[in-house]
Amino acid sequence: MFLLQANTTALFNVADLQLIAPELILTVCACLALVMEVILPYRKSKLVAWFSLLGVGLAFVSLGLQWWSVADSLPLDGFYGMVRIDGFALLFKAIFLVGAALAIAISTRYLDIEGEQHGEYYALVLFATVGMMFLACGYDLIVLYISLELMALTFYVLVAFTKREKRSNEAAMKYFLLGAFSSGILLYGMSLLYGIAGSTNLGEIGHSVAAIVSATPLGEATGPSLRPMLLLGMIALAAGLFFKIAAVPFHMWAPDAYEGAPTSVTAFLSTGSKAASFALYARIFIEAMNSMRADWAPLLGLVAAITIMVGNWAAVTQENSKRLLAYSSISNAGYLLLGLVAGNSYGYTGLMIYLLVYTLMNMGAFGIVISLRRRGIIGDNVDDMAGLAQKAPGMAAMMTIFMLSLGGLPITGGFIGKYFLFGGLLQRGAAEGKSWYYWLAGWAIINTVVSFYYYIRFIKVMYLGDRIADDKPLALSPALQTALGVSVAGIIFIGVYPQPLINLTQKLIAPLAAIGAVALK
Amino acid sequence: MENNLLSLIIFAPLAGAAINWFLGRRLRNEKFIGVIACGAVAVSTVVAFYLAFKSGGALRSTEPVFDNLWTWIQVGKFRADFGLAMDRLSGTYALFVTFVGFLIHVFAVGYMQKDQGFYRFFAFLNLFMFAMLTLVLADNFLLMFVGWEGVGLCSYLLIGYYIDRKEAGDAAKKAFITNRVGDWGFVMGIMLTFFLTGSISFFDKPAQGVTSALQTIAGMSAVDPFTWHAIFAGGVTSIAILLFIGAAGKSAQIPLYVWLPDAMAGPTPVSALIHAATMVTAGVYMIVRCSAIYTHAPTAMFVVAVIGAATALFAATIGLAQNDIKKVLAYSTISQLGYMFLACGLGAFTAAIFHVITHAFFKALLFLGSGSVIHGMHHEQDMRSMGGLKKYMPITFATMLTGWLAISGIPIFAGFFSKDEILWRTWSAGTFSLPSPPWSKALWFIGALTALLTAVYMTRMMVMTFWGSERFREKHVDHVDNASGIHDDAHHDDHAVHEPHESPWLMTAPLVVLAILSTIGGFIGVPYALGSLAGLHPTNYIEQTLGPVIAKVPGGKTESEPAAAEPIWLSHPPQTTDSAPAFVSLDETAASHSAEEIHGERLLALVSVAIAVLGIVFGWIIFRRRPLLALPRILENKYYVDEIYDATVINPINAGSREGLWKIFDVGVIDGFLHTIGEVVLEGGRAIRHLQGGFVRAYAAIILLGALAVIGFFAYYGVHAMRLLP
């Protein structure tokens, strides 16, 4: 602060720092966590976990204050338009913080079991969260790309965190190679966009794109145009992001990485990273390229349809529960894409709510998987849950709720999310008079039925499995139990009384919905 | 008027239930659990009385007290609030439900002591109070239905409370399933109401933009014609009939009454609270609440009246021959409920509510008394093994004596006024809801006959229990105890004779309070004709209070409340409480009662008294001498109705489900279809699995191919891919 004030020719307004206060808090906490790790003896490493949790809590408070103080003057731009704080960003940041807190809570016990209780783990989680949060509020391609890489790089390390585990290393390697590959594609798309628009600011890109699109009316050959170039850029961006959210056919890394990574990292990877990628997706495609909806909506719709199918069908045959959940996560990416395809208030509301609920239920499901793990025994197979209902009825009941919510049964939050996602598609179909939206929604619903097969398989194994896996107590810790309880409570609350969340979400994403709702001609 | 205290009435018992369920099960401290349970209901009671009687309260103004908690569901035109409303009707109901409920809770603390599931029992009992009060105070059909299902659930849980007894579980299932039949009717009725009126609310609430479904129907000028076709026409009569199906399920009317006698498998306080005083009268409440619908549907009212009268007589005959003390009371309850429906069917809605209240007093008293007897007899409930108990249980005996006189219809006691009111209204009913005038006389005859039988079987019960030889000293004969079988195994290990003993004060105190209410409770509804006989001009409080909120039968007998919306007694507060209003000299306009009418009413009252006395004398003469007199088999076996249901309904459904639905449709059609789909999906999954070889180079190639495919797609078709899509 002192330095900044001394330098009167500072290039940015000090007040802008307030805009990124939660990120600053997290960054400071992450750095402190690294220092603590060096100072503290190994057996006290867990203190770092509590400290990180505190950091997340502080960031959440600061986010809340931010929302409370600037709610009426949104959106706020800062750092010369590099950062934009709006309802969309606030909501996503809240989801990331919830995810980070749950991830830390379910990690402590797991790392004990693995014998890898190191403080830098929590620092890395915090750094990844910072990356995610900038993905939500970045409004400039440079910021967005750097944030994406910050998140991705920390995740490469986290996936390899159980360094003595061969599978963990292999998973990290695959993830890293393919991630770098896809980053290249993404960056190529970004550079094309920059070349066309002459700016890295999303708003300005949006204007340029709109101008180019309107200059190229449908079906008329009007000489040389930037339109094909734009299309190529869009495809490259879409492909890069398909990789990040693990959509088919860019999903191949996900099952291997999810299976090999430490389970607590898998949980965070499948929720936080996915949500952040969706934030990026929504930002770029809505703010910068909405005028190209006619091009990208069918592409996303097609990919969503394939993703939903492949994710669900492949999950049916899996025996390893982490791998099964990985495919489930792929199929959920497909459902979430439907929100972008719908591109209206319902669709975005569905995207937001489903991401929040998805964070809760996936964290919960992986939390249960963690609780089954003991040193030397992996406990990752679906059949390892046999007889869980007798051994730990509370755990089994919670797992049942997570599974039913993932399947989208009413009175769970999963239902509310899917309801809005599918409802958005139907509304868009009615608004544009296009029937393929209906077919897409129908296809998604049919595949939801398929998904029940493998979700209910967990329930069946837990309650009807005749073999009690063993009678050793579960690897529970208060933090893990609290995380599970919070997840269950959140899912049920959102499912039973969703109105407050719906109202809040619709209010916050109203500007985006206004952009997306411009009907196509 | 909006008052947030209202929600405390329902949420206090809910909190009690939660505390006992989560904390009580850990503590296992009966004193703690009992205090929490009774305290929660006491809070409800106090709040209910406060809200009803404070200035501008529910019973003192025509404005209901509202408490709109939140908008529960709003989809298009359909709106259901989680909102409570206490008007004069629901206020009256809430008062006696909370008060009687409180007494029964206190009794239960004594009755259930040292029971394994003490916390469970009181958690359920409090939960029941929550559901019942939600039912009563709901301001719309849907929330009422929530309460309706809630009481059904609690009833199920409490009937099956003795989880180690198969017959308790069976009885619970029977109650639940039979009620489902009624619920079907109720739900259909609600849907049809919404379909016709676009609202499901009971009240106009301009602030929320809600209009009342009942007002809308009342605003329909035309009354459905008295034809049988109207039932299936999808109009007001159809609503009324569907709602009555619901009421018949909950209030145990023909043909859905079969669950109530079996429900006696639950603990006795449950029988008193749920299966006598409160829940089973929910059907009556619902019909009176919907009086605006019924007064537009004379055909439906006729059905209600006939079913009510038939049930009253039918159940009374069965009650005559039962040997289990609780079964006698169960059939008596069904029979008395029949009276209430008879009154509803003839448009005498206030009389029905009046009888609900007095019945709550004396039937709760009789059930609790029988509970006290069962407790004192060490869980024996066959009256053939009792006898001569008045010496051992003087308080129980004295209190049950008042209950007996009240239900038999001896003047001064509460039951006399309400039952006499119903009989008089039946006799003098107009032809609005009846095909021809003789019908009212015929229904009156059935009612009078039922009154006679009531006096006889109640006398039999009292005589077998309290007078005569002390049969419990005789060696336990292995009598076939007609499947009642509520015997605590713990008390059967030795066959030594247990001396009966009086129950502790926790149990007798509620008995005494209820006995007082059974004696004087009837004075809230003394009709002018009888009051003036004694030279007094008492006010008929019950009619004055409820009159303004209940729809009138057009052209029929008008109920004799003054036109003023404010009841007289409220503008001149009586010096005494409502228990002794007879001495308040408030002049009721004699002009509203013609001399001829007064004469007729007095004469009929005399006939009622004669019938009651005759019944008691008759019963005394027969059963005092031969308490074990065998009665016709067909009565003892309840007309074989259960067997008939088994043969005609249950077994065919079972067989059809097993042979048809399961073996052919489920296994063949559904499973076959699904297995085919499942195979396809599984094969697809395996194919996808093969792609996942684990080599990064393959993955990268697939990504590249995917990207190239997309680019190729656009390169080939050009921009605006949307064109290609339908």
Side-chain angles (χ1 to χ4, degrees), chain B residues 291-344:
Chain B
S291 53
I293 295 175
Y294 281 88
T295 48
H296 282 70
T299 322
M301 287 181 72
F302 178 62
V303 172
V304 174
V306 169
I307 296 269
T311 308
L313 182 63
F314 184 75
T317 54
I318 299 177
L320 207 53
Q322 297 301 307
N323 289 320
D324 182 322
I325 187 167
K326 286 179 72 182
K327 287 268 158 96
V328 176
L329 291 172
Y331 280 103
S332 160
T333 303
I334 298 174
S335 167
Q336 298 295 314
L337 289 166
Y339 271 125
M340 299 167 199
F341 281 101
L342 173 62
C344 287

Side-chain angles (χ1 to χ4, degrees), chain B residues 198-269:
Chain B
S199 164
I200 55 162
S201 178
F202 298 137
F203 300 98
D204 278 326
K205 292 192 293 179
Q208 278 91 30
V210 173
T211 54
S212 156
L214 302 178
Q215 289 295 324
T216 311
I217 286 178
M220 296 175 176
S221 50
V223 169
D224 274 9
F226 193 105
T227 59
W228 293 105
H229 304 294
I231 292 177
F232 300 101
V236 177
T237 307
S238 310
I239 297 177
I241 289 289
L242 286 168
L243 292 180
F244 176 62
I245 292 173
K250 196 59 81 194
S251 294
Q253 296 297 293
I254 291 174
L256 300 177
Y257 72 92
V258 286
W259 64 273
L260 186 56
D262 287 18
M264 297 301 129
T268 309

Side-chain angles (χ1 to χ4, degrees), chain A residues 180-218:
Chain A
F181 184 47
S182 75
S183 280
I185 298 177
L186 185 71
L187 208 49
Y188 182 56
M190 285 183 172
S191 63
L192 278 176
L193 220 50
Y194 170 66
I196 292 163
S199 168
T200 51
N201 183 286
L202 291 186
E204 287 176 29
I205 295 173
H207 291 305
S208 308
V209 170
I212 294 168
V213 170
S214 61
T216 323
L218 180 60

Side-chain angles (χ1 to χ4, degrees), chain A residues 14-297:
Chain A
V14 178
D16 281 357
L17 287 178
Q18 285 178 8
L19 294 179
I20 55 166
E23 288 88 342
L24 287 178
I25 291 175
L26 273 190
T27 313
V28 170
C29 285
C31 296
L32 285 178
L34 281 177
V35 176
M36 277 174 82
E37 163 64 12
V38 178
I39 296 171
L40 290 173
Y42 177 76
R43 60 197 162 72
K44 290 249 171 87
S45 288
K46 222 184 261 183
L47 272 180
V48 183
W50 304 126
F51 177 75
S52 308
L53 215 46
L54 178 75
V56 173
L58 284 176
F60 204 87
V61 170
S62 125
L63 189 69
L65 288 174
Q66 205 172 46
W67 151 246
W68 181 66
S69 57
V70 301
D72 300 326
S73 50
L74 294 177
L76 290 173
D77 287 335
F79 301 101
Y80 300 98
M82 300 282 254
V83 164
R84 167 172 278 196
I85 305 295
D86 54 4
F88 172 86
L90 290 176
L91 204 54
F92 261 112
K93 287 180 187 181
I95 295 175
F96 301 146
L97 287 174
V98 169
L102 290 174
I104 293 171
I106 66 173
S107 296
T108 53
R109 181 76 188 149
Y110 182 80
L111 294 184
D112 272 348
I113 296 165
E114 296 291 334
E116 298 282 359
Q117 188 67 265
H118 301 298
E120 62 257 38
Y121 175 91
Y122 304 104
L124 285 170
V125 169
L126 293 188
F127 279 127
T129 312
V130 172
M132 294 174 193
M133 291 170 80
F134 273 116
L135 278 175
C137 68
Y139 204 63
D140 186 284
L141 289 180
I142 304 286
V143 174
L144 290 174
Y145 184 72
I146 292 174
S147 325
L148 187 67
E149 285 305 299
L150 172 60
M151 180 184 83
L153 284 171
T154 40
F155 268 118
Y156 301 145
V157 180
L158 281 172
V159 169
F161 202 77
T162 45
K163 52 184 177 291
R164 278 166 289 200
E165 188 92 41
K166 213 176 92 188
R167 293 199 305 169
S168 176
N169 287 317
E170 185 191 332
M173 198 43 140
K174 282 180 182 166
Y175 183 31
F176 172 70
L177 287 175
L178 294 172
F181 184 47
S182 75
S183 280
I185 298 177
L186 185 71
L187 208 49
Y188 182 56
M190 285 183 172
S191 63
L192 278 176
L193 220 50
Y194 170 66
I196 292 163
S199 168
T200 51
N201 183 286
L202 291 186
E204 287 176 29
I205 295 173
H207 291 305
S208 308
V209 170
I212 294 168
V213 170
S214 61
T216 323
L218 180 60
E220 284 175 35
T222 50
S225 161
L226 283 173
R227 190 74 193 261
M229 200 66 87
L230 196 55
L231 207 56
L232 194 60
M234 185 274 284
I235 292 167
L237 276 171
L241 288 168
F242 283 146
F243 174 86
K244 294 291 173 196
I245 62 169
V248 179
F250 307 89
H251 69 290
M252 308 293 281
W253 61 278
D256 291 3
Y258 283 20
E259 189 187 352
T263 311
S264 54
V265 173
T266 309
F268 196 37
L269 183 60
S270 68
T271 54
S273 154
K274 183 161 292 189
S277 307
F278 265 102
L280 178 59
Y281 224 132
R283 262 293 187 229
I284 294 184
F285 276 70
I286 297 166
E287 304 250 6
M289 295 200 289
N290 187 60
S291 39
M292 292 178 72
R293 243 193 78 83
D295 295 322
W296 59 255

Side-chain angles (χ1 to χ4, degrees), chain A residues 172-502:
Chain A
M173 198 43 140
K174 282 180 182 166
Y175 183 31
F176 172 70
L177 287 175
L178 294 172
F181 184 47
S182 75
S183 280
I185 298 177
L186 185 71
L187 208 49
Y188 182 56
M190 285 183 172
S191 63
L192 278 176
L193 220 50
Y194 170 66
I196 292 163
S199 168
T200 51
N201 183 286
L202 291 186
E204 287 176 29
I205 295 173
H207 291 305
S208 308
V209 170
I212 294 168
V213 170
S214 61
T216 323
L218 180 60
E220 284 175 35
T222 50
S225 161
L226 283 173
R227 190 74 193 261
M229 200 66 87
L230 196 55
L231 207 56
L232 194 60
M234 185 274 284
I235 292 167
L237 276 171
L241 288 168
F242 283 146
F243 174 86
K244 294 291 173 196
I245 62 169
V248 179
F250 307 89
H251 69 290
M252 308 293 281
W253 61 278
D256 291 3
Y258 283 20
E259 189 187 352
T263 311
S264 54
V265 173
T266 309
F268 196 37
L269 183 60
S270 68
T271 54
S273 154
K274 183 161 292 189
S277 307
F278 265 102
L280 178 59
Y281 224 132
R283 262 293 187 229
I284 294 184
F285 276 70
I286 297 166
E287 304 250 6
M289 295 200 289
N290 187 60
S291 39
M292 292 178 72
R293 243 193 78 83
D295 295 322
W296 59 255
L299 173 62
L300 263 58
L302 184 70
V303 170
I306 298 173
T307 304
I308 290 171
M309 187 192 89
V310 170
N312 281 322
W313 291 32
V316 165
T317 57
Q318 298 303 320
E319 290 303 327
N320 179 296
S321 52
K322 278 164 81 178
R323 213 174 166 81
L324 192 159
L325 287 171
Y327 279 110
S328 141
S329 158
I330 291 171
S331 73
N332 276 307
Y335 294 126
L336 287 160
L337 273 176
L338 297 181
L340 291 178
V341 175
N344 49 18
S345 173
Y346 251 54
Y348 296 146
T349 308
L351 180 68
M352 295 292 191
I353 293 181
Y354 198 72
L355 273 173
L356 175 60
V357 175
Y358 176 73
T359 302
L360 294 175
M361 59 199 183
N362 232 30
M363 282 284 181
F366 279 113
I368 303 275
V369 174
I370 286 177
S371 73
L372 290 172
R373 185 166 183 120
R374 269 188 316 284
R375 202 185 179 96
I377 299 168
I378 307 292
D380 278 357
N381 274 343
V382 177
D383 287 336
D384 290 341
M385 296 211 172
L388 188 68
Q390 293 159 40
K391 194 159 107 178
M395 288 287 160
M398 287 200 272
M399 187 66 175
T400 305
I401 291 171
F402 296 137
M403 288 300 124
L404 294 181
S405 180
L406 278 166
L409 214 65
I411 86 148
T412 62
F415 169 75
I416 304 293
K418 284 209 171 85
Y419 171 81
F420 276 96
L421 287 173
F422 300 161
L425 271 187
L426 300 185
Q427 277 190 356
R428 173 63 83 169
E432 287 184 7
K434 291 275 193 183
S435 65
W436 67 273
Y437 289 106
Y438 299 123
W439 289 106
L440 187 55
W443 178 243
I445 291 168
I446 289 173
N447 276 284
T448 303
V449 178
V450 173
S451 75
F452 269 106
Y453 173 81
Y454 57 86
Y455 290 134
I456 288 179
R457 212 173 119 210
F458 279 103
I459 302 172
K460 182 188 147 200
V461 168
M462 286 189 304
Y463 283 89
L464 304 177
D466 26 57
R467 176 173 68 95
I468 296 180
D470 54 62
D471 47 1
K472 300 223 183 71
L474 294 179
L476 296 174
S477 69
L480 177 58
Q481 281 173 310
T482 312
L484 292 175
V486 167
S487 304
V488 166
I491 289 168
I492 296 291
F493 180 78
I494 294 172
V496 173
Y497 189 42
Q499 204 63 48
L501 185 63
I502 292 170

